[in-house]
Amino acid sequence: MSTQMQPQTTAATGFTDLSARDRVRSLLDPGTMHELLTPFDRLTSPWLEKQGVVPQFDDGVVIARGKINGQNTLVAAIEGSFQGGSLGEVGGAKIAGALELAIEENRNGNPTSAVLVLETGGVRLQEANLGLAAIADIQSAIVELRAMQPVVAVITGPVGCFGGMSISAGLCSYLIMTREGRLGLNGPQVIEQEAGVNEYDSRDRGLIWGLTGGEQRFQCGLIDQLVSGSVGDTRSAVVQCLASGVPAVHPSEAWLQHKDALQAIDMDQPMTPSYARQILQQGDDQ
Amino acid sequence: MSTLISPKGLQWFAALTKQCQSISTPIDSVRIADGELGAHSCRFLLVTANPQAHFPRARRGEVGLQEGIALAEAINDVIEQDAHSDSKRTLVAIVDTPSQAYGRREEAMGIHQALAASVSAYARARQAGHPVIALLVGKAMSGAFLAHGYQADRILTLANDAVMVHAMGKAAAARITMRTEDELDVLAQSVPPMAYDLKSYASLGLVDTMLELSPASSDSDVNEAPGELDTSLVEQALRTTQADILKQPRGLSRRLHGQNRQASLRVRQMLAEQWNAGA
Amino acid sequence: METLHIQLPATPQPLQRALVGQVGSGDLEVMIEPNPGSDTLDIHIQTSVSGAEVRWRQLLQQIANTRSLPAMRMDIHDFAATPGVVRLRLEQAIEQASGQQHHSGQQHHSEQEQ
């Protein structure tokens, strides 16, 4: 590996302004980042070029081993600016394969946790079924790893976290979001297309952020930490989550407490951000 | 998007659970039944249409908020009940679901978390030693398939045109990629992961068994319930698959050997080499 | 998408590998790897813009006219970047590969943001 310059990242730098690679680096203890399957391995998508789409050398996914607060950690990040942060065969296999190696590492007695930095629209349409299959692999690995060590999701960036990878985020031990991040299963355009503009107006940015933005997700108890978006804050939140260890109940099971509240939703009442908070705060133990 | 509601899931559920005890669930769109598969106890799970469902966007067989919960609860119960038993009940997910539910209420409530609940339940069941089998009798689309079926040890499909696995419906994919549906089909010939046909899907290495039914039932008469011959053929396949799962190492790695999924294996091989080099 | 291969005369010079940019809208990814013993700049381009070969040749020639280019293999993944962005990324990549930035001793390649 070549020896090159360190980016001028400080605690005040916007985490969101960084590339996926620099996001990974900014979370790891200085000097501990060991990137796996770097762009120089030239493992590009075998499917994009066939469809006339320019590939990227890392297929939009950065994987590194390193340490956070001295503890072994795997960090994976999806680059939102390449193909909308979509997951194809190679990028998906990088994340799944790395998580599988982290599981193996734990089995061998070397505690290794994981941080997933997610800026992704979900499955890459040009690799459809292979993206979906890779996400199933990632989900299986998250569930297995989180029983041993914490798996933390960091959701950030203008793309947000959608599609199958929003489910993956929901499987993690802890979820962190920056304020401008968005988290949802279906992208606004897809909902509008499938259900009509009255159901969801994809141009109504206020509505979209109001329902799926970081602040709302935090108020609804769907994430653990809301951060300003600076490198310093984001890193502190990650450190704090990792230090909390494996939670007694994971978010994917904790959410089941909303069962009765969902049945009680008044279908004549429009679903607004405040109504959503009212419903999801009902079941809260706090 | 008014697509026809598929009766296939319910028909196969009815045929395969004739001797089973139906288990009540909080919602009619999730059907659960307990019975035997060979000498092994087994729970069948189905998501199906319910025109009266509380959530209007989840009435045509979609996996929505309440479906995610009902699946998760039905599986979590099994994990808990069998926690101290050597014999872990088999789970059979009968899959015929057009999509996840698309709606404003769904997003507001965090439908991703509802689907995570059922993914988590299926994955933990498999990892705890429960054989998990997905039986695809109709559509297995996108987030709905992730939530109901894709965590299985084995994927069985009926070999007919009703079965389709994809990340996005054909019409929507055509709109988004600005192609016609016919153009999509042409493209799919050189890009198997994009294709909508079962043979292309099988070339990815994700299907364990494709079940050829008797000629009478493989035509596309959707209203015809499976006959006795086909039912016993599928039952036999489920028993064989269960036996196979019980004697082999578990996990999803057997999916990595498809003719058109070679990069997935290559990535893992290279990662493993570099992982150890960096230790 | 169009694939181009352009070769220019260049000077052998010690280099390390480098990577800058992303294949994002209006941007490009530039990768440099040393090509020991060679005296050419070997450029492989994949671009989303068709019919731009003449423009690429002109741009690269312009850069070659202003500075002596090191011999190397350069890979470009272009997603409709403007000539200004292309020029900036190429300069960044060559600087990084020539070790003109301060060293951190880290085992990684990195990208310099604009």
Side-chain angles (χ1 to χ4, degrees):
Chain A
M1 275 268 213
S2 62
T3 303
Q4 278 143 34
M5 80 281 171
Q6 179 88 327
Q8 309 301 311
T9 305
T10 68
T13 306
F15 188 72
T16 303
D17 300 332
L18 301 177
S19 67
R21 186 160 288 107
D22 286 341
R23 287 176 185 173
V24 171
R25 184 179 299 111
S26 76
L27 293 178
L28 287 163
D29 296 348
T32 67
M33 177 171 170
H34 173 75
E35 186 174 346
L36 305 173
L37 285 187
T38 75
F40 298 100
D41 287 310
R42 295 171 178 265
L43 219 53
T44 56
S45 160
W47 308 107
L48 287 180
E49 287 177 63
K50 288 181 179 213
Q51 295 171 70
V53 179
V54 180
Q56 180 157 307
F57 280 120
D58 59 12
D59 202 35
V61 170
V62 177
I63 304 287
R65 287 185 77 179
K67 292 187 189 292
I68 295 181
N69 252 12
Q71 306 296 308
N72 291 330
T73 310
L74 160 74
V75 186
I78 304 174
E79 175 58 58
S81 68
F82 176 59
Q83 292 293 323
S86 61
L87 271 196
E89 180 181 13
V90 169
K94 283 169 83 170
I95 299 178
L99 288 167
E100 289 158 10
L101 286 163
I103 292 166
E104 205 53 43
E105 204 66 39
N106 282 290
R107 282 210 192 101
N108 294 337
N110 304 319
T112 303
S113 49
V115 179
L116 307 178
V117 182
L118 304 175
E119 182 176 3
T120 170
V123 172
R124 181 179 296 161
L125 200 52
Q126 295 94 335
E127 307 187 29
N129 269 326
L130 286 176
L132 196 65
I135 290 177
D137 290 343
I138 290 169
Q139 293 177 346
S140 173
I142 292 172
V143 172
E144 198 167 353
L145 180 57
R146 75 180 193 189
M148 306 164 167
Q149 287 290 318
V151 180
V152 179
V154 180
I155 294 156
T156 189
V159 173
C161 177
F162 288 96
M165 287 308 284
S166 69
I167 304 173
S168 304
L171 290 167
C172 290
S173 320
Y174 303 99
L175 286 86
I176 298 168
M177 268 179 97
T178 57
R179 207 165 284 275
E180 90 302 334
R182 289 177 299 147
L183 170 65
L185 179 64
N186 300 298
Q189 280 99 343
V190 181
I191 303 174
E192 185 183 312
Q193 221 167 59
E194 298 290 329
V197 70
N198 290 334
E199 179 75 23
Y200 213 81
D201 183 348
S202 64
R203 274 147 303 180
D204 187 345
R205 295 169 64 87
L207 171 78
I208 292 163
W209 257 270
L211 289 174
T212 63
E215 176 71 34
Q216 172 75 2
R217 291 325 203 180
F218 184 66
Q219 293 298 333
C220 289
L222 287 164
I223 59 168
D224 299 280
Q225 296 215 33
L226 178 68
V227 295
S228 70
S230 72
V231 163
D233 275 6
T234 309
R235 192 173 193 281
S236 307
V238 168
V239 166
Q240 200 182 325
C241 288
L242 289 174
S244 304
V246 174
V249 181
H250 282 91
S252 54
E253 279 65 48
W255 187 87
L256 293 170
Q257 69 175 321
H258 299 301
K259 180 181 164 186
D260 295 337
L262 291 173
Q263 185 60 40
I265 288 180
D266 177 1
M267 291 296 159
D268 292 328
Q269 191 166 335
M271 181 50 74
T272 59
S274 62
Y275 188 38
R277 290 182 190 194
Q278 185 192 319
I279 296 158
L280 291 176
Q281 285 165 0
Q282 281 172 31
D284 261 349
D285 300 326
Q286 287 106 3
Chain B
M1 304 300 114
S2 67
T3 44
L4 284 175
I5 290 174
S6 164
K8 283 293 162 200
L10 204 50
Q11 287 169 350
W12 277 100
F13 182 83
L16 293 169
T17 61
K18 270 196 191 110
Q19 313 294 324
C20 296
Q21 187 198 348
S22 162
I23 304 295
S24 78
T25 64
I27 51 168
D28 286 343
S29 50
V30 172
R31 307 290 174 94
I32 308 291
D34 281 352
E36 303 294 319
L37 200 56
H40 211 81
S41 298
C42 167
R43 171 163 285 191
F44 291 89
L45 306 103
L46 171 77
V47 178
T48 191
N50 170 22
Q52 269 75 52
H54 186 49
F55 285 84
R57 306 294 317 168
R59 288 179 176 164
R60 311 177 68 86
E62 298 93 345
V63 180
L65 292 161
Q66 296 188 303
E67 288 73 20
I69 294 178
L71 286 171
E73 286 183 341
I75 300 160
N76 288 340
D77 286 349
V78 167
I79 298 174
E80 204 172 308
Q81 287 158 11
D82 293 357
H84 303 290
S85 161
D86 287 339
S87 173
K88 307 284 188 186
R89 237 175 300 175
T90 296
L91 300 173
V92 177
I94 299 175
V95 185
D96 177 18
T97 172
S99 68
Q100 63 271 30
Y102 298 98
R104 183 199 290 213
R105 288 184 193 90
E106 279 76 8
E107 294 305 320
M109 293 297 107
I111 184 176
H112 61 285
Q113 210 60 72
L115 271 53
S118 69
V119 173
S120 166
Y122 274 117
R124 283 182 295 110
R126 172 169 45 74
Q127 289 161 13
H130 295 268
V132 182
I133 304 172
L135 174 66
L136 277 52
V137 302
K139 285 184 174 171
M141 303 296 279
S142 194
F145 188 30
L146 290 175
H148 179 55
Y150 231 162
Q151 285 301 318
D153 288 287
R154 301 285 190 280
I155 297 171
L156 309 189
T157 74
L158 303 184
N160 68 31
D161 294 346
V163 179
M164 180 193 283
V165 183
H166 218 275
M168 186 175 271
K170 208 178 198 173
R175 275 196 303 273
I176 286 175
T177 59
M178 292 182 287
R179 293 182 166 102
T180 65
E181 293 191 27
D182 287 345
E183 283 167 348
L184 269 188
D185 281 334
V186 172
L187 180 64
Q189 285 170 9
S190 63
V191 188
M194 288 275 286
Y196 287 82
D197 66 291
L198 205 49
K199 205 178 218 170
S200 298
Y201 181 68
S203 79
L204 309 178
L206 300 164
V207 177
D208 287 278
T209 313
M210 281 172 68
L211 298 163
E212 296 283 349
L213 301 183
S214 53
S217 53
S218 355
D219 64 30
S220 36
D221 183 357
V222 292
N223 294 315
E224 194 156 324
E228 268 176 46
L229 203 66
D230 288 337
T231 305
S232 69
L233 182 133
V234 170
E235 279 169 348
Q236 180 55 46
L238 290 173
R239 281 193 296 272
T240 309
T241 303
Q242 174 184 258
D244 189 44
I245 294 170
L246 288 169
K247 61 174 191 252
Q248 298 217 11
R250 313 295 297 276
L252 303 184
S253 60
R254 58 183 283 117
R255 294 182 184 171
L256 294 171
H257 303 283
Q259 169 204 342
N260 287 316
R261 206 192 177 198
Q262 294 182 19
S264 300
L265 189 59
R266 177 92 188 107
V267 164
R268 282 171 171 82
Q269 288 165 344
M270 288 178 70
L271 268 178
E273 286 162 20
Q274 296 184 9
W275 180 280
N276 295 319
Chain C
M1 186 181 72
E2 211 158 277
T3 303
L4 309 172
H5 184 201
I6 297 174
Q7 286 183 305
L8 294 173
T11 336
Q13 181 181 317
L15 280 181
Q16 56 197 3
R17 54 194 194 179
L19 177 85
V20 299
Q22 301 286 347
V23 190
S25 182
D27 201 351
L28 73 163
E29 174 181 56
V30 181
M31 182 192 277
I32 288 177
E33 289 183 286
N35 198 355
S38 154
D39 57 358
T40 55
L41 167 52
D42 195 19
I43 307 168
H44 298 260
I45 302 171
Q46 286 183 305
T47 171
S48 62
V49 182
S50 343
E53 179 161 4
V54 174
R55 200 163 58 79
W56 276 101
R57 285 189 182 281
Q58 281 170 351
L59 184 69
L60 290 163
Q61 194 55 56
Q62 278 169 17
I63 295 172
N65 292 343
T66 59
R67 61 179 295 167
S68 128
L69 290 172
M72 58 184 160
R73 179 188 167 115
M74 178 184 273
D75 284 88
I76 292 173
H77 288 151
D78 169 47
F79 215 69
T82 61
V85 173
V86 173
R87 188 184 286 271
L88 176 78
R89 290 296 188 204
L90 291 180
E91 297 283 354
Q92 283 176 338
I94 293 169
E95 270 176 28
Q96 207 185 89
S98 314
Q100 287 169 17
Q101 308 277 326
H102 71 274
H103 288 205
S104 69
Q106 300 280 313
Q107 277 221 314
H108 56 240
H109 46 82
S110 63
E111 49 177 313
Q112 177 80 0
E113 297 298 327
Q114 291 180 65

